[in-house]
């Protein structure tokens, strides 16, 4: 009987090893749930991109993105254990949540500017031109940017009318301006054929970060490895999304079938144009960075506006740079 060659024996052994490897279970990924603050959109693109491109997987995570919405209390859901971390609209909002009794800490902020804007008709060139005009402002603004606008530009409560998340009152009234999000309402108004100017708070000193990763103290303590992996992978996801948004956009449209390609393209262009993710401190310190100086500015604004009681909550407990400082994903 002909003996198999040494090479054949080696190849048989190799084939057996490959077969065993194929049959063996893949390395376990740590499950991690992140909950957004609204329906899926380009403003969430970096997180969806990290799922679509396997970036979370590469960092040892099996990430589920849960979609928020107007009727969803994401903080409550996180406190009940239904999410590991949530997307805060801003660091300011999360500081107030902590003062309210939920032990939440912000570990990263992927928007270096708050995208909140006022949208005015084309005769208005600057914030000062809005004195005496009707301002359509949502109730939440009272605990956010409205006190800042009043202090900065001398606006009054008498000027305001409720904003109902409908652009028609603005379109119909040439003497009105309305709140909005840089990447959203201006697009809808443009599509309606109305010429408008967009005034951005952050360009005039409003300190807030936006699109945060905010987690419970317990999660940060007990799952520090997973939080660190999520923060770094998300930063890589944002870098990838700005380079080629197609993979994430496919998932965004799957989660939110009402989202259009035109809206996605408009939003991505604005995110790039305004340096929302890659500008400011992120340019040198990395995507998602939080600095002590900016966090203090947000906290000081809340205290000065009597929107937060410093006796109830100290600044150092509202955020940590522990995770983002080591991520260093440069644009």
């Amino acid at each position: 009987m002909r003996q198999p060659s040494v090479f054949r024996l080696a190849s048989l052994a190799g084939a057996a090893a490959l077969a065993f490897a194929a049959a063996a279970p893949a390395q376990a990924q740590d499950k991690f749930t992140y909950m957004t603050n609204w329906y899926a959109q380009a403003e969430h693109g970096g997180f969806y991109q990290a799922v679509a491109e396997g970036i979370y997987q590469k960092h040892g995570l099996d990430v589920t993105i849960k979609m928020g919405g107007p009727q969803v209390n994401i903080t409550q859901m996180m406190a009940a254990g239904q999410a590991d971390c949530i997307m805060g609209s801003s660091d300011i909002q999360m500081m107030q949540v902590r003062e309210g009794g939920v032990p939440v800490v912000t570990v990263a902020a992927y928007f270096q500017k708050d995208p909140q804007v006022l949208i005015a008709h084309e005769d208005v060139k600057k914030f000062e031109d809005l004195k005496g005009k009707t301002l359509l402002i949502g109730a939440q603004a009272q605990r956010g940017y409205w006190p800042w606008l009043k202090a900065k530009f001398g606006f009054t409560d008498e000027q305001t009318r409720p904003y109902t998340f409908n652009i028609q009152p603005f379109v119909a009234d040439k003497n009105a301006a309305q709140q909005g999000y840089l990447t959203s309402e201006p697009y809808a108004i443009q599509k309606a054929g109305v010429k408008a100017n967009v005034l951005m708070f952050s360009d005039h000193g409003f300190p807030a970060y936006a699109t945060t990763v905010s987690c419970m103290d317990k999660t940060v303590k007990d799952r520090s490895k997973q939080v660190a992996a999520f923060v770094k992978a998300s930063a890589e996801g944002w870098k990838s999304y700005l380079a080629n948004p197609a993979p994430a956009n496919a998932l965004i449209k799957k989660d939110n079938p009402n989202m259009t390609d035109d809206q996605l393209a408009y939003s991505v262009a604005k995110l790039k144009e305004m340096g929302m993710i890659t500008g400011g401190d992120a340019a040198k310190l990395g995507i998602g960075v939080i600095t002590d100086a900016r966090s203090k500015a947000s906290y000081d604004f809340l205290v000065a506006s009597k929107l937060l009681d410093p006796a109830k909550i100290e600044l150092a407990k509202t955020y940590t740079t522990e995770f983002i400082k080591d991520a260093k994903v440069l644009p």
Side-chain angles (χ1 to χ4, degrees):
M1 181 178 163
R2 182 167 165 266
Q3 293 295 319
S5 72
V6 66
F7 299 108
R8 180 162 166 71
L9 284 170
S11 82
L12 284 169
L18 283 171
F20 177 78
Q27 184 183 354
Q29 307 277 314
D30 289 325
K31 290 190 179 299
F32 197 92
T33 301
Y34 182 63
M35 193 158 195
T36 67
N37 60 359
W38 200 252
Y39 304 127
Q41 53 190 306
E43 294 86 335
H44 308 160
F47 306 104
Y48 279 97
Q49 186 85 346
V51 171
E53 294 287 83
I55 298 169
Y56 288 131
Q57 200 169 10
K58 183 185 82 177
H59 284 273
L61 297 177
D62 173 10
V63 170
T64 299
I65 297 176
K66 282 187 180 176
M67 193 168 66
Q71 308 304 321
V72 183
N73 187 328
I74 61 174
T75 306
Q76 204 171 58
M77 292 182 76
M78 176 175 66
Q82 294 181 49
D84 291 287
C85 300
I86 58 171
M87 179 186 293
S89 295
S90 68
D91 60 331
I92 281 171
Q93 177 201 32
M94 290 295 102
M95 287 174 181
Q96 291 171 312
V97 166
R98 183 161 190 122
E99 187 200 24
V102 182
V104 62
V105 58
T106 293
V107 299
Y110 290 100
F111 283 14
Q112 292 297 295
K113 300 177 180 181
D114 190 315
Q116 290 283 354
V117 298
L118 282 181
I119 306 158
H121 290 277
E122 59 181 335
D123 61 308
V124 172
K125 309 296 183 192
K126 55 188 187 297
F127 278 105
E128 288 81 358
D129 297 340
L130 289 169
K131 283 187 179 176
K133 292 189 180 285
T134 299
L135 303 179
L136 303 169
I137 300 290
Q140 276 297 105
Q142 302 292 339
R143 286 182 52 75
Y145 62 80
W146 180 240
W148 177 83
L149 284 175
K150 286 199 295 184
K152 180 92 175 172
F153 300 108
F155 299 154
T156 65
D157 291 331
E158 289 70 34
Q159 285 180 258
T160 65
R161 301 288 179 275
Y163 175 57
T164 58
F165 295 90
N166 179 347
I167 65 167
Q168 289 313 312
F170 167 77
V171 170
D173 185 353
K174 295 285 186 191
N175 198 47
Q178 69 155 68
Q179 74 171 52
Y181 215 61
L182 173 73
T183 44
S184 184
E185 283 86 355
Y187 171 75
I189 289 165
Q190 181 180 298
K191 286 264 292 185
V194 177
K195 290 184 177 175
N197 287 324
V198 176
L199 306 173
M200 197 164 170
F201 307 159
S202 62
D203 288 342
H204 294 267
F206 189 58
Y209 287 118
T211 311
T212 70
V213 175
S214 300
C215 322
M216 303 290 281
D217 282 353
K218 188 176 190 307
T219 303
V220 168
K221 181 170 171 283
D222 296 348
R223 305 200 77 200
S224 61
K225 181 184 158 203
Q226 291 82 1
V227 171
F230 182 79
V231 162
K232 186 173 178 70
S234 298
E236 291 177 8
W238 274 109
K239 183 172 181 174
S240 173
Y241 183 67
L242 295 176
N244 172 28
N249 286 350
L251 292 185
I252 288 169
K253 288 193 292 181
K254 190 176 174 187
D255 268 6
N256 180 10
N258 292 323
M259 182 54 63
T260 66
D261 289 330
D262 282 354
Q263 171 73 73
L264 286 165
Y266 178 92
S267 297
V268 171
K270 282 293 175 189
L271 292 176
K272 289 181 179 180
E273 177 195 337
M274 302 304 292
M276 300 298 292
I277 294 120
T278 58
D281 294 317
K284 290 184 178 177
L285 301 176
I287 292 170
V289 70
I290 298 172
T291 68
D292 295 329
R294 277 284 296 279
S295 297
K296 186 176 188 303
S298 288
Y299 182 84
D300 288 349
F301 154 67
L302 288 173
V303 171
S305 303
K306 296 187 168 43
L307 296 174
L308 185 144
D309 182 353
K312 288 186 180 175
I313 182 71
E314 58 185 283
L315 170 62
K317 292 196 171 160
T318 66
Y319 76 102
T320 177
T321 61
E322 173 191 351
F323 302 100
I324 198 62
K325 69 179 168 56
D326 294 328
K328 289 202 174 87
V329 177
L330 293 172

